[in-house]
Amino acid sequence: MQERPTWTKVIRLCGVDIDDQAGPAISNQMILNNMIESVMENDYDQAVCQLTRTGKLDIELTNDHRKKVMEKDTIRNFTYKDHWPSSLSTEHESKKLYYEYLHSPRLEHSDIIYKWLLLQRLCADKGTTLHTLLGYNINWQNKRHTLIKTDHSYDVNTDYKNGKFYQYHDHSVGEKNTVPNKYFQIYLAKKINSEMLKLPIQDKLEKFHD
């Protein structure tokens, strides 16, 4: 479960049956895998795919050595579905070496694009309306990123940092916390419902105080 407030929790508090397949700090690959599997196994009226920043790494906890590395991380010291969502953490030497020698941005970007296209096809086949938004600006290195149907000029992080709610951001752990606060999550829930979901819950959403 996500520990911090999210727009999906706001929508759920309005009485909407919502299946949140996101997880704290997980990568786009895991987000898309979760959504693909869920759409294959369930019937939904609508689906919202919120992509995150690129470069994140989910590590399968297959041995005690990996678990010890996870436990020593000052922020990303938790698990999600038997994985360590290490995000962009470079506290351990192994992660530093990964980004220096192994990370392949173009391959990662292609993987995101083609997974999204598969998700789109599955949603179309099952009559599910798919909405997509960017959580962060992505400096795409694959020109086919325009196949992803979304407003590529908008991302949640920029909206948050440029808006009035950023003044209440939790800076207690410095730049490692990029999750928007509850005030912005309420604003984002209203925005997503107004522009995408269009559910009859506007009156309930207005009862939340910005």
Side-chain angles (χ1 to χ4, degrees):
M1 293 181 63
Q2 303 223 45
E3 296 179 357
R4 294 179 179 271
T6 62
W7 66 264
T8 56
K9 291 182 179 179
V10 176
I11 297 289
R12 185 178 289 117
L13 287 172
C14 293
V16 178
D17 182 13
I18 184 168
D19 182 11
D20 187 358
Q21 289 297 318
I26 64 175
S27 69
N28 285 310
Q29 289 92 326
M30 185 168 281
I31 289 171
L32 288 164
N33 284 348
N34 287 349
M35 292 195 68
I36 288 169
E37 290 171 359
S38 293
V39 170
M40 290 176 67
E41 296 172 358
N42 302 281
D43 295 320
Y44 302 105
D45 295 324
Q46 303 186 69
V48 178
C49 176
Q50 180 177 329
L51 296 176
T52 185
R53 62 174 51 180
T54 56
K56 292 184 176 183
L57 181 64
D58 304 311
I59 300 172
E60 191 173 359
L61 297 175
T62 56
N63 56 55
D64 290 337
H65 296 295
R66 294 185 177 192
K67 292 179 182 178
K68 289 178 180 178
V69 173
M70 178 269 294
E71 291 168 353
K72 291 180 179 179
D73 195 281
T74 57
I75 301 296
R76 310 301 183 194
N77 50 14
F78 52 83
T79 62
Y80 175 80
K81 292 187 175 181
D82 298 321
H83 286 72
W84 171 33
S86 69
S87 188
L88 298 172
S89 174
T90 56
E91 291 185 15
H92 193 269
E93 187 65 21
S94 61
K95 284 296 297 293
K96 293 179 183 178
L97 293 173
Y98 167 75
Y99 288 115
E100 185 174 355
Y101 295 107
L102 302 175
H103 180 227
S104 304
R106 284 183 294 178
L107 185 60
E108 178 190 4
H109 292 189
S110 295
D111 193 38
I112 294 168
I113 294 166
Y114 301 137
K115 283 180 184 291
W116 185 90
L117 288 171
L118 173 58
L119 174 63
Q120 180 192 43
R121 173 62 64 87
L122 290 170
C123 285
D125 289 347
K126 299 198 70 173
T128 302
T129 301
L130 176 63
H131 312 282
T132 302
L133 74 160
L134 303 179
Y136 296 84
N137 178 57
I138 297 177
N139 183 22
W140 293 101
Q141 297 186 30
N142 185 320
K143 63 183 180 181
R144 291 190 175 91
H145 74 274
T146 55
L147 293 172
I148 296 178
K149 296 180 180 178
T150 186
D151 180 359
H152 287 275
S153 67
Y154 174 85
D155 70 88
V156 172
N157 182 59
T158 300
D159 191 5
Y160 178 48
K161 288 186 172 180
N162 291 341
K164 63 181 180 180
F165 302 114
Y166 191 67
Q167 62 182 310
Y168 308 114
H169 182 69
D170 177 10
H171 293 281
S172 61
V173 293
E175 297 181 357
K176 292 180 179 179
N177 176 32
T178 62
V179 179
N181 57 42
K182 64 179 181 180
Y183 306 106
F184 181 84
Q185 299 289 0
I186 294 169
Y187 153 81
L188 187 59
K190 293 177 180 178
K191 177 181 176 66
I192 289 174
N193 187 61
S194 174
E195 298 179 3
M196 297 179 179
L197 300 176
K198 303 185 185 303
L199 299 170
I201 57 171
Q202 199 60 35
D203 290 345
K204 294 180 179 178
L205 285 171
E206 292 302 327
K207 293 180 180 179
F208 288 92
H209 297 290
D210 289 340

